[in-house]
Amino acid sequence: MGATGEPVISMRGIRAELGSRPVLRGIDLTVRHGEVVALLGANGSGKSTAVRSVIGQVPVSAGQIELFGTPRHRFRDWARVGYVPQRTTAAGGVPATVTEVVSSGRLSRARFGMLRKADHAAVRRALEVVGMADRAKDSVNALSGGQHQRVLIARALASEPDLLIMDEPMAGVDLASQEVLAGTLRDQVASGTTVLLVLHELGPLEPLIDRAVVLRDGCVTHDGPPPKAVGQHALPGHDHVHPHAAHDAEPIRTGLLS
Amino acid sequence: MDFLDYAFMQRALLAAVLVGITAPAIGIYLVQRRQALMGDGIGHVAMTGVGLGFLLSWSPVWMATIVSILGAVLMELIRWFGRTRGDIALAMLFYGGMAGGVMFINLAPTGSNANLTSYLFGSLSTVSESDVTAICVLAAFVVLVTLGLRRQLFAVSQDEEFARVTGLPVRALNLLTAITAAVTVTVAMRVVGLLLVSALMVVPVAAAQQLTRSFAATFAVAVAIGVAVTLGGTITSYYQDVPPGATIVLLTIGAFVVLTALAAPLARRRARALATAHPAGDPAECAIPATRAAGDEVGV
Ligand SMILES: Nc1ncnc2c1ncn2[C@@H]1O[C@H](COP(=O)(O)OP(=O)(O)O)[C@@H](O)[C@H]1O
Ligand SMILES: [Mg+2]
């Protein structure tokens, strides 16, 4: 745990190429302790690439990334990070139960892959938080789209992380499940978890978001209060006062880069 | 049970059981990561090892082990680095491996295509004492890896990207999976043959899936099917004078067909049970609990 305001994610001048094509062209992004930051932008604007560079899945060609104040290549404390990749399914090529999938998320806290009683309890709690405890023994193949997302989020929560990184957790999720996920997130934020989430639209999560960062073609075009409606008001310099922006440290304006 | 009196049959049955255990045990992870045909590729590469074994008068089993491990590592490296033409590189590796095997065995003074055939399709009656020793050692390694690291291998095979964020050594585990698959290929080579080994890695898993909902159960059922068909095939081949490798593979496919036929009524019964447990509009589906105990919180 760090003090409020301490940077948890810090990206400075991040560039990344995928297949020789520049996808990130100098991204600056800071997420401070206790903040909920939404990463917005059109399809293909580089949102997933940006979060995947934070977790080391995408090699960066320039710039610095720090997690909890440690340069990413030296960062080892992965139990503090919960990650929800952009997926439509939690299933693999072989049947697996909801519990089996969510238990994978606890490995970062387990030694030599051995799960103890406390680990199983944490997995159970994570399932309760997303409202999937009654499906614990069911195969993930038998779940709906929204339930898949809930399983993926429970897997990220199983390590009891300080930082949650979620890539489009609301994609293909019906409204009922969206409300459950919003409730889950609200509880996490209330208990001090820092959140970076990629979203297509703010939806029911809107009241939770402290700050929005908008990407376009691999550049940050807006960093500040969340726009009311993405697309219409997502332009840099748009003056929209958000009721939730006040309580936080003043937004970090990095502006247009590259 | 008169076949148990023959030393060659004892060796054959022991080898068969070990193959029945190890092939599905590593195969389940290959199926999980949707690389079901990796075993087939390694089988092709192992042919070069067999050929080299004859050419250099070395044990073909150990030589095949070394070459197929090298081939499996190369396949992993191609997966890491070769983004665009990975499939072409793999094709060259597979067919190069097969051609190399044919070439080397014909260059060898003691080798002939007949020798090669016994490795391609298996030849249980020629399993020697030293073959059995090698098979036991290699099988122990496979069981140790697939059971001892089951949680790590499950996580990496289910979602590689997520596994990286749990701090698992993803590349090392991928390499270990490839190496273990290569070792399994050489364990199974004498029993079912290089061209049929992949069937024993994949089909028992596919058959088990028809009945199971969990990974653990799939693992157990697949191994049980593997042992049943390898023993059944070996004993059948003793009485009927049919090739054991082909018999085993046909039995496995038979098991798949039977279990698939059984699965449909089973799934219907399960769906009915589920409908009674969660009737339509069950609040458990989407309600947020009104009160939350402190112990329910996951977070800092
Ligand atoms: N593996 C890849 N190889 C080449 N280009 C890629 C790859 N993945 C994504 N891209 C490209 O990078 C750009 C950004 O992708 P992404 O970060 O997934 O966007 P977003 O998540 O914002 O929709 C897209 O134009 C996409 O086509
Ligand atoms: Mg994306």
Side-chain angles (χ1 to χ4, degrees), chain B:
Chain B
M1 301 285 268
D2 56 336
F3 52 79
L4 282 177
D5 297 338
Y6 298 100
F8 84 88
M9 258 320 261
Q10 291 167 2
R11 286 197 296 269
L13 286 170
L14 178 60
V17 168
L18 292 177
V19 171
I21 295 169
T22 52
I26 185 67
I28 193 168
Y29 298 107
L30 300 182
V31 174
Q32 196 190 3
R33 53 172 67 210
R34 302 181 200 280
Q35 294 177 349
L37 291 178
M38 184 167 178
D40 195 50
I42 298 172
H44 285 63
V45 175
M47 286 170 68
T48 290
V50 172
L52 271 178
F54 276 97
L55 186 63
L56 306 174
S57 305
W58 235 63
S59 154
V61 174
W62 286 114
M63 206 64 204
T65 307
I66 292 167
V67 172
S68 55
I69 285 175
L70 290 177
V73 170
L74 201 60
M75 280 160 68
E76 247 336 279
L77 293 178
I78 289 171
R79 219 162 66 80
W80 290 350
F81 299 111
R83 282 160 218 271
T84 40
R85 305 312 296 168
D87 52 337
I88 303 287
L90 288 180
M92 285 200 281
L93 187 65
F94 294 177
Y95 304 120
M98 189 152 65
V102 174
M103 182 60 75
F104 288 137
I105 208 148
N106 280 287
L107 292 177
T110 58
S112 70
N113 281 338
N115 296 116
L116 194 57
T117 305
S118 89
Y119 287 90
L120 288 184
F121 300 106
S123 167
L124 268 173
S125 56
T126 62
V127 172
S128 69
E129 201 71 59
S130 68
D131 284 343
V132 169
T133 310
I135 288 173
C136 284
V137 171
L138 295 172
F141 168 78
V142 174
V143 169
L144 218 64
V145 169
T146 55
L147 277 183
L149 295 176
R150 63 188 181 283
R151 286 199 187 276
Q152 291 91 331
L153 294 179
F154 172 86
V156 169
S157 307
Q158 186 80 7
D159 190 335
E160 195 175 300
E161 186 174 336
F162 178 80
R164 184 160 285 133
V165 184
T166 63
L168 285 175
V170 170
R171 285 191 169 181
L173 287 167
N174 281 342
L175 267 183
L176 188 65
T177 305
I179 289 170
T180 309
V183 167
T184 308
V185 164
T186 48
V187 169
M189 169 173 78
R190 301 297 279 137
V191 178
V192 285
L194 290 173
L195 291 186
L196 294 175
V197 56
S198 189
L200 213 48
M201 290 179 162
V202 173
V203 184
V205 179
Q209 291 190 14
Q210 305 300 319
L211 303 179
T212 56
R213 281 178 298 179
S214 73
F215 185 84
T218 310
F219 192 106
V221 174
V223 168
I225 294 172
V227 171
V229 295
T230 47
L231 279 182
T234 307
I235 294 168
T236 306
S237 75
Y238 173 79
Y239 285 115
Q240 295 297 323
D241 193 30
V242 284
T247 313
I248 289 168
V249 171
L250 289 175
L251 277 178
T252 319
I253 292 171
F256 174 82
V257 171
V258 169
L259 292 183
T260 307
L262 285 178
L266 197 73
R268 267 200 299 278
R269 239 186 41 209
R270 246 182 220 157
R272 265 204 305 279
L274 204 66
T276 4
H278 314 276
D282 181 356
E285 277 298 294
C286 53
I288 311 166
T291 52
R292 193 179 288 279
D296 286 347
E297 300 295 342
V298 170
V300 279

Side-chain angles (χ1 to χ4, degrees), chain A residues 44-45 49 56 86 120 123 130 146 152 173 186 194 227 232 237:
Chain A
S45 56
T49 310
Q86 185 173 9
H120 292 297
V123 168
V130 300
L152 293 173
V173 176
R186 193 158 42 237
T194 307
Q232 253 174 297

Side-chain angles (χ1 to χ4, degrees), chain A residues 42-49 51-52 86 167-168 198 200:
Chain A
N43 280 328
S45 56
K47 307 182 297 292
S48 293
T49 310
V51 299
R52 293 170 91 229
Q86 185 173 9
D167 195 346
E168 303 214 19
V198 175
H200 207 63

